[in-house]
Amino acid sequence: MSKVLEKISKAVIQGDDDEIAELTQDALDEGLGAKEILQGGLMPGMDHVGVEFKAGRMFVPEVLLSARTMKGSMAMLEPLLAEGESIAVGKVIMGTVEGDLHDIGKNLVAMMIEGAGFEIVDLGTDVSPAAFVESVKKEKPDIVGMSALLTTTMRNMGRTIDALKEAGLRDQVKVMIGGAPVTGDFAEQIGADGTASSAPAAVDLAKSFVDLV
Ligand code: B12
């Protein structure tokens, strides 16, 4: 790995969002492309963060700092791309389902998935099946992520999948679901493609959907 990519990786791991702009500029000055910087510096750093978080050696505030550092670099790289080109490894729309206002877990998952190089469209909370369908039509994501924390709103995940089917869009996206009451059995029952109970596991699941692992 080139020295500057190594430094970028380290800045992501340390959540050093002061230094990341300068390092990204150094890498560009050395002639490295946006994709090289993403794949050779930012993503290896974020992968390391995921491993450390899973092992209990890093905690949520540090992970959020790392994600913010990564975002800072990506904001500099995006405008350099040709029109229509993207450095994102995939696009994910995320929302908490209808009737449900819990968003702490969803936001955490969204930030970590974004930190892993995905583009995130966050629909917020209390998102109706129709709003998910509209967003899939407009954004053409690879993945739809739904969160629910209430046993009463969990069924709206199934209703959203049914609405995607009715709109003829179900085969165009992978659907992942999560939230404290969600189980693997439930995911299977409603026809989701998978579930994960933590943010790093959600990152692994999203990556598996776009053939990154
Ligand atoms: C904070 C909180 C609130 C806050 C929410 C603030 C916010 N902005 O989110 C407020 C005060 C608003 C609230 C309101 C209510 N709450 Co509340 N709330 C909680 C609490 C204490 C913590 C939830 C949380 O944030 N956890 C931390 C995050 C990080 O964990 P997480 O959400 O599970 O997310 C992780 C995973 O599940 C997963 N994940 C999450 N989403 C996704 C999505 C995908 C795609 C994937 C792959 C993974 C994934 O990854 C995340 C990261 O690790 C829980 C109790 C608990 N311990 O869970 C009750 C709890 C969920 N609430 C409960 C209830 C009953 C309510 C109310 C109905 C209370 C009332 N009578 O008004 C209202 C409902 C409001 C509504 N319409 O939604 C009950 C639900 C009971 C049930 N079985 O249905 C709980 C379990 C409390 C209890 N023991 O009774 N609540």
Side-chain angles (χ1 to χ4, degrees):
M1 198 194 279
S2 94
K3 268 262 170 314
V4 69
L5 289 180
E6 229 169 83
K7 283 187 189 166
I8 287 176
S9 208
K10 216 164 155 195
V12 170
I13 294 164
Q14 293 173 343
D16 192 348
D17 64 343
D18 285 337
E19 221 181 325
I20 195 71
E22 202 181 315
L23 289 171
T24 305
Q25 194 55 53
D26 287 349
L28 292 168
D29 292 346
E30 277 186 24
L32 295 170
K35 279 198 172 148
E36 278 172 285
I37 297 172
L38 177 76
Q39 287 163 2
L42 298 170
M43 280 174 63
M46 212 54 205
D47 284 346
H48 184 82
V49 170
V51 170
E52 293 297 292
F53 184 68
K54 265 187 229 167
R57 290 189 291 266
M58 274 180 88
F59 302 98
V60 171
E62 298 164 276
V63 172
L64 294 183
L65 264 182
S66 293
R68 195 163 78 188
T69 305
M70 168 128 180
K71 247 173 120 174
S73 179
M74 282 176 79
M76 288 175 70
L77 300 177
E78 290 283 1
L80 304 174
L81 298 169
E83 211 185 346
E85 201 189 356
S86 171
I87 48 170
V89 296
K91 191 172 189 178
V92 183
I93 64 170
M94 284 281 298
T96 301
V97 293
E98 191 166 46
D100 202 320
L101 302 175
H102 295 85
D103 66 357
I104 298 169
K106 169 191 66 75
N107 293 346
L108 195 59
V109 168
M111 280 194 91
M112 280 211 66
I113 289 182
E114 188 172 32
F118 286 82
E119 180 185 351
I120 294 279
V121 178
D122 190 342
L123 303 181
T125 58
D126 192 16
V127 183
S128 67
F132 272 108
V133 166
E134 276 318 300
S135 180
V136 170
K137 278 185 193 158
K138 181 168 166 247
E139 304 288 348
K140 302 191 175 23
D142 303 288
I143 303 170
V144 174
M146 288 186 267
S147 183
L149 264 285
L150 300 171
T151 43
T152 47
T153 55
M154 272 168 80
R155 64 193 180 94
N156 292 335
M157 295 173 148
R159 287 181 51 226
T160 303
I161 292 176
D162 291 344
L164 288 171
K165 279 185 197 153
E166 274 162 36
L169 297 167
R170 178 64 186 93
D171 295 339
Q172 295 171 28
V173 289
K174 291 284 186 186
V175 176
M176 63 179 185
I177 63 170
V182 171
T183 61
D185 281 350
F186 177 74
E188 204 173 311
Q189 203 182 311
I190 65 167
D193 296 301
T195 180
S197 60
S198 72
V203 170
D204 289 344
L205 185 62
K207 282 182 173 174
S208 75
F209 288 151
V210 293
D211 291 333
L212 281 178
V213 283

